[in-house]
Amino acid sequence: MTWDTIILGAGAAGMMCATQTGGRTLVLDHAKAPGEKIRISGGGRCNFTNMYAGPENFLSGNPHFCKSALSRYTQWDFIDMVARHGIAYHEKTLGQLFCDNSAKDIIAMLRTEMAQAGAGLWLETQIAQVGHDGTGFTVEIEKSGRRETLSCRNLVLATGGKSIPKMGATGLAYDIARQFDLRVTDTRAGLVPFTFSDGRFKAISGVAHPVRATANGTAFEEAMLFTHRGLSGPAMLQISSYWRESQPIHINLFPDNDPFEELRTRRQAQGRRNLTTELATLLPGRLVEHLAGEMNISGNLADQSDLALRTLCDALKNWEMTPTGTEGYRTAEVTLGGIDTDGLSSKTMEAKTVPGLYVIGEAADVTGWLGGFNFQWAWSSGWAAGQAIAKRPKA
C-alpha cells in the first residue's frame, strides 16, 4: 500500500503532525489506544501547555533549534484549538494549563482533527523494519499476525524516547535514525525522582515542603517531596534534568526568607523553649526531627549564640547532599538527548541528508521543563513538520 506520509507514533507529536500533513497520511502505533502518555499526564487532566512557554524552557545540544517551531506555532495557537473544541481548562500554577474534565478530551480533539484532515490510524501495529528504496521509504509492519509492507514518500519519526517503558517506550526512533546515518546524542532520564541508597528519608516519606533546589547552577523554586527511595516533587524533577551522577544538589529550605532574625527574636522572649520546637513552627515537624539528627540540632534557644544560630540558618538554606542516582526511565517523564538537531532543519524538522525523513517531539534532542513545556514542543514540532510535508508535491 502506498501513502504520501507515514507517521510512526500516535502520541502528542505524531497526532498533531497528522492534522497538518494533507494527502494520504497514516499513523502507526503499537498501543491499543492513541495518546497514552497524554491520557496519564497531569493526574489524568493533561497539563497540555504552559502560558509562558519559550525557548528558555528547553534543554538541547543546540538551544536555538527550538525557536523557529515554537515561534510559528505557539501555546496560544494550541489554546485556540482547545477553545474551538469547547474543552474547559484552568491554570493551576506557574502558567500550567490543565483540562477541567479529562486528558481524554485532548486525545478526542486530536482524533477529530485527524479525521477532518483525512489521516488514518492503525493501532496494535508493530514496526518490523524500515527501509529506503531510492525514491521513498518502506515500512514493514506486523498486524493481526500478518506481515505487510507499506511505502511512502515522507516518513515521520514520532515514537518518543525511552521514558516509561511499561507503556511501551523504546529507542525505535534512535535505531531508525542511526540506520540513516543520523547522529544520536547520549540519552538519560529527565524529570525524574532522585534516589539514595542509604534510605535516609524513609522515616519522613510523604513530607513535602517548598524549597529552592539547585543543581549545576540552575535553580527552581517549587515543592520537594520526601519518599521511601529519596526525593521527588516538582523542584526535584526540574533539577534532575541538570544534575549529573556524583554531583551534589543544594536545597534551600527557606527560599523566601531567612529564619535567623525570627529565631533571634524568639530567643529573647522565649529562651527556655527547645530549638527544635521553635523550628517545627517554621518547618514540618517530621522534617525537623530528621534534621535534628543530621545537623546535630539540640538545646534551648537561650543556649544558642548569634554565631550558632547563623551557622544553623545557613545550613538550612544550603543543605547539600549527593544522590546515589535517579529512578531512571522507569518513572522519568522525559528522555534527555536524542536525535541530534544538527542533522535536522529547525524550520521543517526534516533530516538534512535524508529528504522526506522528519523527526518530531521527544525523539529529537529537545527537552522541556516540567509544566506543559514538553507537550508544547510536541505541538510545535508536529505542526512544523506537518506544514512542511503539506507543501511537498504529492505522489
Side-chain angles (χ1 to χ4, degrees):
M1 297 182 67
T2 301
W3 302 80
D4 291 316
T5 303
I6 291 179
I7 300 171
L8 306 184
M15 287 195 287
M16 184 66 183
C17 185
T19 69
Q20 303 296 315
T21 51
R24 286 172 48 79
T25 295
L26 177 64
V27 182
L28 304 176
D29 201 290
H30 66 276
K32 293 181 179 180
E36 282 294 87
K37 282 192 176 180
I38 298 175
R39 181 182 61 80
I40 68 168
S41 68
R45 292 197 174 180
C46 187
N47 179 193
F48 57 82
T49 192
N50 193 293
M51 292 193 298
Y52 307 119
E56 66 277 7
N57 305 120
F58 295 85
L59 294 80
S60 173
N62 177 2
H64 301 290
F65 179 82
C66 64
K67 291 180 178 179
S68 176
L70 289 172
S71 66
R72 288 184 298 124
Y73 190 86
T74 71
Q75 57 269 41
W76 307 111
D77 293 314
F78 192 78
I79 291 168
D80 284 345
M81 181 188 291
V82 169
R84 287 200 312 271
H85 284 259
I87 299 174
Y89 63 90
H90 61 277
E91 179 187 0
K92 192 172 181 181
T93 56
L94 304 173
Q96 301 172 51
L97 300 185
F98 289 77
C99 298
D100 283 358
N101 180 38
S102 169
K104 294 178 181 179
D105 293 341
I106 299 296
I107 299 172
M109 175 189 75
L110 292 169
R111 294 201 67 172
T112 297
E113 291 280 332
M114 285 174 59
Q116 291 174 351
L121 174 63
W122 290 5
L123 299 170
E124 298 183 271
T125 303
Q126 303 293 328
I127 309 302
Q129 189 173 333
V130 170
H132 196 283
D133 61 10
T135 59
F137 300 90
T138 58
V139 181
E140 187 174 339
I141 64 169
E142 292 184 7
K143 183 175 176 63
S144 302
R146 296 173 53 193
R147 281 216 173 198
E148 183 176 355
T149 299
L150 312 177
S151 62
C152 59
R153 295 188 69 247
N154 309 298
L155 181 66
V156 183
L157 305 185
T159 56
K162 299 179 179 179
S163 57
I164 318 183
K166 68 180 181 181
M167 297 193 68
T170 68
L172 176 63
Y174 309 146
D175 295 338
I176 296 173
R178 293 187 184 99
Q179 180 182 333
F180 290 100
D181 295 324
L182 297 182
R183 181 175 176 268
V184 178
T185 69
D186 291 338
T187 59
R188 57 194 175 89
L191 301 182
V192 62
F194 289 110
T195 58
F196 292 79
S197 59
D198 57 6
R200 63 195 295 185
F201 301 123
K202 284 184 178 180
I204 54 173
S205 177
V207 172
H209 184 68
V211 302
R212 179 186 296 120
T214 305
N216 253 331
T218 300
F220 290 90
E221 285 192 24
E222 290 192 68
M224 176 176 71
L225 173 68
F226 296 93
T227 72
H228 281 86
R229 293 172 57 83
L231 295 172
S232 188
M236 296 297 101
L237 299 186
Q238 294 281 36
I239 66 168
S240 71
S241 293
Y242 294 85
W243 177 80
R244 294 286 187 167
E245 285 194 1
S246 301
Q247 292 182 341
I249 61 175
H250 295 85
I251 309 299
N252 182 347
L253 293 171
F254 292 94
D256 298 323
N257 63 291
D258 186 340
F260 174 71
E261 290 299 336
E262 177 67 24
L263 291 174
R264 197 165 176 247
T265 300
R266 294 186 188 190
R267 183 184 62 188
Q268 294 175 339
Q270 301 167 312
R272 297 180 64 180
R273 300 199 60 171
N274 191 281
L275 176 56
T276 56
T277 299
E278 293 306 298
L279 277 177
T281 66
L282 305 175
L283 295 170
R286 289 170 60 200
L287 174 56
V288 173
E289 290 178 18
H290 175 86
L291 292 170
E294 181 158 324
M295 298 183 180
N296 194 28
I297 303 172
S298 62
N300 296 331
L301 274 174
D303 300 328
Q304 315 299 318
S305 66
D306 280 2
L307 177 59
L309 284 180
R310 170 50 66 194
T311 300
L312 171 61
C313 292
D314 287 348
L316 295 173
K317 290 179 69 67
N318 189 28
W319 185 12
E320 178 179 313
M321 63 191 81
T322 302
T324 305
T326 71
E327 293 190 3
Y329 293 119
R330 182 180 66 85
T331 60
E333 296 202 15
V334 294
T335 301
L336 291 156
I339 298 172
D340 195 341
T341 58
D342 285 349
L344 308 175
S345 162
S346 62
K347 183 177 181 180
T348 66
M349 305 293 127
E350 186 177 18
K352 295 176 180 177
T353 57
V354 190
L357 181 64
Y358 297 79
V359 180
I360 60 176
E362 194 180 343
D365 175 23
V366 177
T367 305
W369 291 359
L370 184 73
F373 299 102
N374 286 290
F375 274 129
Q376 186 55 48
W377 173 245
W379 316 137
S380 296
S381 61
W383 179 91
Q387 286 281 302
I389 290 170
K391 294 173 183 176
R392 293 193 78 196
K394 302 297 184 290

